Amino acid sequence: RKEVEQDPGPFNVPEGATVAFNCTYSNSASQSFFWYRQDCRKEPKLLMSVYSSGNEDGRFTAQLNRASQYISLLIRDSKLSDSATYLCVVNSPNQAGTALIFGKGTTLSVSS
Amino acid sequence: DGGITQSPKYLFRKEGQNVTLSCEQNLNHDAMYWYRQDPGQGLRLIYYSQIVNDFQKGDIAEGYSVSREKKESFPLTVTSAQKNPTAFYLCASSIIGMDEQFFGPGTRLTVL
């Protein structure tokens, strides 16, 4: 099983749509979870951390299910500017230091 | 402005040449990282450092070398031993004890 697995997409949605991305991770000892956003040919930028209780930041909601080792990101009222690749990221506590494991990303394209 | 800078943005090299990629941060972060990203792939960890004069190999260290003589700087050398060096190289930093990593703008290396 891959360490962090995401549906690569692409997800093509109209403006205003709600879209959900899912991610599974293999290391049950992972404690930190994130969603990063990466625009084409740019660096990844932290979108939000994911907490066990779930957390919301404006139109974005992240959920974590530790029992199923599953993370989700919900985007409501999609904007054109949301078009990007969304990376699911978890920490790897079995390695020395603070190592992050990145999924390959899910591509979102929002059209008018 | 605090941040991470990488130079150059684009780099071309001939086969058999070593090349050094620069990464500087003024965020006062202790930990620094180098990743490689290939098209359609997740980020893969090359090397990381948690303290000056100390660094550890990541998942794909072969053909690369690093140094950490100053807290602010973590240069990466791509040697001629790296068989497929063409890629997007990303440098990141973080606070020790915090898993969130912040990225520089990246360097695109092309071997001709």
Side-chain angles (χ1 to χ4, degrees):
Chain A
R1 182 178 179 183
K2 294 179 183 176
E3 292 193 79
V4 177
E5 205 155 352
Q6 299 181 246
D7 181 344
F11 283 61
N12 298 304
V13 303
E15 276 186 290
T18 295
V19 61
F21 305 140
N22 303 318
C23 167
T24 56
Y25 61 95
S26 60
N27 191 335
S28 59
S30 293
Q31 295 293 322
S32 300
F33 310 91
F34 309 97
W35 284 100
Y36 278 72
R37 170 194 169 128
Q38 186 173 24
D39 291 292
C40 188
R41 302 180 70 81
K42 299 286 189 180
E43 75 274 25
K45 293 185 178 178
L46 180 65
L47 179 66
M48 59 198 303
S49 301
V50 187
Y51 304 115
S52 295
S53 55
N55 48 301
E56 186 174 308
D57 183 1
R59 297 180 294 108
F60 299 84
T61 301
Q63 298 277 353
L64 168 65
N65 184 322
R66 287 186 185 272
S68 302
Q69 294 178 209
Y70 171 94
I71 305 162
S72 66
L73 176 68
L74 182 76
I75 305 176
R76 292 181 298 279
D77 188 23
S78 298
K79 310 292 185 189
L80 294 174
S81 57
D82 293 334
S83 297
T85 297
Y86 291 84
L87 308 178
C88 177
V89 183
V90 307
N91 77 324
S92 179
N94 293 329
Q95 287 183 255
T98 308
L100 294 181
I101 308 298
F102 289 77
K104 294 182 180 181
T106 299
T107 300
L108 171 66
S109 177
V110 182
S111 56
S112 58
Chain B
D1 274 344
I4 305 173
T5 57
Q6 291 185 243
S7 61
K9 188 173 182 179
Y10 298 96
L11 187 57
F12 299 88
R13 82 152 211 223
K14 294 181 181 179
E15 279 193 39
Q17 288 181 334
N18 291 356
V19 63
T20 298
L21 281 55
S22 168
C23 178
E24 304 277 333
Q25 56 96 2
N26 61 5
L27 299 168
N28 200 33
H29 287 174
D30 289 297
M32 297 186 74
Y33 311 81
W34 274 105
Y35 293 90
R36 167 185 175 139
Q37 187 176 35
D38 294 282
Q41 300 298 313
L43 277 67
R44 291 183 290 168
L45 184 64
I46 303 172
Y47 267 100
Y48 64 99
S49 168
Q50 293 188 288
I51 195 169
V52 173
N53 293 323
D54 187 48
F55 46 83
Q56 284 79 40
K57 293 182 179 180
D59 300 318
I60 55 165
E62 185 176 350
Y64 299 98
S65 66
V66 293
S67 63
R68 186 89 186 275
E69 296 177 2
K70 298 186 301 181
K71 184 177 182 178
E72 301 79 19
S73 179
F74 191 39
L76 173 74
T77 297
V78 184
T79 74
S80 57
Q82 171 48 235
K83 299 305 179 189
N84 297 294
T86 295
F88 186 36
Y89 290 87
L90 289 156
C91 179
S93 70
S94 70
I95 298 170
I96 293 289
M98 302 288 288
D99 288 337
E100 295 93 332
Q101 294 179 15
F102 299 92
F103 286 84
T107 292
R108 288 196 181 275
L109 173 63
T110 302
V111 174
L112 304 172

